[in-house]
Amino acid sequence: MGKNRKGDAGWQSARWILGTVLFVQGFGSAVTQALADTSFGVAGLLRAAGLPHWTDLVVGAAGLALLVWALVRRGTQRRTHV
């Protein structure tokens, strides 16, 4: 499981990028909704679809999970290459 596969570098980048986007869109929109009573991005689409406000936090948590996963994989890869 600790072996680095050829395509794993691309998936690692995807985890960082998607995690960052979801984190900012989810938690950023929740904060914006609370402070300015407006939503943007993914959360704006969720509001238009009629979903509740707490879904912003779910999107942010999914982004956080991806970022943690990417961070753990980065640490694992560093230890195996030293």
Side-chain angles (χ1 to χ4, degrees):
M1 201 169 236
K3 292 182 181 182
N4 190 9
R5 290 171 279 185
K6 271 188 172 181
D8 196 42
W11 286 111
Q12 180 67 0
S13 296
R15 280 189 284 270
W16 281 112
I17 293 168
L18 186 60
T20 302
V21 168
L22 290 177
F23 182 83
V24 169
Q25 287 288 313
F27 290 130
S29 183
V31 169
T32 303
Q33 185 73 33
L35 297 178
D37 197 29
T38 187
S39 57
F40 67 96
V42 171
L45 295 172
L46 295 174
R47 288 300 87 61
L51 294 172
H53 293 289
W54 57 264
T55 55
D56 298 348
L57 300 175
V58 172
V59 171
L64 180 62
L66 282 171
L67 289 172
V68 168
W69 185 16
L71 189 62
V72 168
R73 294 286 298 167
R74 179 180 173 205
T76 302
Q77 289 173 349
R78 280 191 172 182
R79 277 185 295 232
T80 60
H81 285 83
V82 175

